[in-house]
Amino acid sequence: MSGNIRLLSDTLARARSEDRAALVAYLPAGFPTVDGGIEAIKAVFDGGADIVEVGLPHSDPVLDGPVIQTADDIALRGGVRIADVMRTVREAHRSTGKPVLVMTYWNPIDRYGIERFTAELAEAGGAGCILPDLPVQESAVWREHAEKHGLATVFVVAPSSRDERLAEITAAGSGFVYAASLMGVTGTRASVGAQAQDLVGRTRATTELPVCVGLGVSDAEQAAEVAGFADGVIVGSAFVKRLLDADDHAAGIAAVRALAGELAEGVRKR
């Protein structure tokens, strides 16, 4: 079965045709439980997200800040497994018809098996993977399997990336490019920073792929700012924090649905 890279590309193209940025949400699988995480993703889609990244919880993250680390720890203590991640992707996509990716560090895939992981992700209806710590020069085998199964390979670029390095990364990627707005880990911030706009411009000079910006966006005003120069606005920690701060599960679901609605309005005010 082929994955949904075409659905991902079509979704980003449709947002561009509507003269807006796409809203890309991130939530970890298994948080606060597997069923609760699936419900939260459906609520985010219902609120207005175009695309969702499902995080594969990892005990040794390099990109995630304290909020997402806390959620990952809860998921891992709850016994989340890759099978639960695949189930999350399957149910989220099946119930909404929208593109769902997995964001994961390389070690879990390496241990699980590349062919097994890509085949199962495609069967679940996944659109692809975001791989923040897989070096491009070591990615050929992954990309071969991902392409075979119709999955996007999304790489992360950073403000420190030199132009020649950007060209190397974007040439190898597919789906879209994940542009980290600043040097650091995930988390909400008072401002996104001018570095992000410069990075988007330099990245676009190397590729026709859409460029989506993540790290730091937490409200509609920041979403509108980023939507003014990016093809997509990625929000993760703000959603996770809403769930962590909620008095109960129902309140958390309502909170992430409401935040998605606010951000969806923001990306339309570019």
Side-chain angles (χ1 to χ4, degrees), residues 4 7-8 11 14 44-52 89 92-101 125 127:
N4 274 311
L7 176 63
L8 174 66
T11 298
R14 183 170 62 252
V44 165
F45 271 134
D46 186 51
D50 298 289
I51 299 162
V52 164
V89 171
H93 170 65
R94 181 183 296 164
S95 65
T96 65
K98 295 185 178 181
V100 182
L101 300 101

Side-chain angles (χ1 to χ4, degrees), residues 108-127:
I109 295 177
D110 190 41
R111 291 181 62 87
Y112 198 72
I114 299 173
E115 172 59 23
R116 181 184 178 193
F117 190 95
T118 52
E120 290 183 6
L121 182 56
E123 187 277 330

Side-chain angles (χ1 to χ4, degrees), residues 57-78:
H58 190 50
S59 59
D60 189 25
V62 296
L63 185 67
D64 299 312
V67 170
I68 291 176
Q69 286 187 38
T70 298
D72 279 3
D73 185 60
I74 291 169
L76 291 168
R77 289 176 184 273

Side-chain angles (χ1 to χ4, degrees), residues 3-270:
N4 274 311
I5 186 173
R6 176 59 63 86
L7 176 63
L8 174 66
S9 298
D10 289 349
T11 298
L12 289 161
R14 183 170 62 252
R16 177 178 289 184
S17 74
E18 295 171 357
D19 193 30
R20 66 177 180 88
L23 174 59
V24 185
Y26 167 95
L27 283 168
F31 170 72
T33 62
V34 175
D35 288 340
I38 293 168
E39 187 179 357
I41 291 169
K42 292 178 181 178
V44 165
F45 271 134
D46 186 51
D50 298 289
I51 299 162
V52 164
E53 304 170 4
V54 174
L56 195 160
H58 190 50
S59 59
D60 189 25
V62 296
L63 185 67
D64 299 312
V67 170
I68 291 176
Q69 286 187 38
T70 298
D72 279 3
D73 185 60
I74 291 169
L76 291 168
R77 289 176 184 273
V80 70
R81 295 290 183 268
I82 288 179
D84 300 310
V85 176
M86 298 299 179
R87 179 188 158 209
T88 299
V89 171
R90 180 181 295 105
E91 295 195 18
H93 170 65
R94 181 183 296 164
S95 65
T96 65
K98 295 185 178 181
V100 182
L101 300 101
V102 169
M103 186 166 189
T104 179
Y105 297 103
W106 180 245
N107 182 258
I109 295 177
D110 190 41
R111 291 181 62 87
Y112 198 72
I114 299 173
E115 172 59 23
R116 181 184 178 193
F117 190 95
T118 52
E120 290 183 6
L121 182 56
E123 187 277 330
C129 262
I130 301 165
L131 301 162
D133 67 341
L134 176 62
V136 170
Q137 62 269 26
E138 298 177 18
S139 68
V141 175
W142 161 266
R143 288 186 282 122
E144 177 186 345
H145 286 280
E147 185 176 354
K148 179 175 72 172
H149 289 291
L151 299 170
T153 298
V154 179
F155 290 113
V156 178
V157 298
S160 61
S161 302
R162 297 179 180 273
D163 291 349
E164 56 269 26
R165 178 64 173 165
L166 289 176
E168 182 183 8
I169 293 170
T170 59
S174 56
F176 64 90
V177 182
Y178 187 125
S181 65
L182 41 76
M183 300 301 294
V185 297
T186 59
T188 60
R189 290 172 172 82
S191 64
V192 178
Q195 287 182 318
Q197 187 167 0
D198 174 69
L199 176 59
V200 170
R202 291 195 297 119
T203 303
R204 280 183 173 155
T206 70
T207 183
E208 295 297 317
L209 290 173
V211 183
C212 302
V213 171
L215 273 69
V217 178
S218 61
D219 57 34
E221 182 178 354
Q222 289 176 332
E225 176 189 354
V226 174
F229 57 82
D231 299 296
V233 180
I234 303 170
V235 182
S237 295
F239 283 113
V240 175
K241 193 171 188 305
R242 291 284 179 106
L243 289 172
L244 285 170
D245 291 347
D247 291 333
D248 55 42
H249 181 63
I253 295 299
V256 295
R257 181 184 291 109
L259 177 59
E262 295 164 12
L263 294 166
E265 287 187 13
V267 299
R268 286 165 170 79
K269 295 177 180 177
R270 56 191 309 174

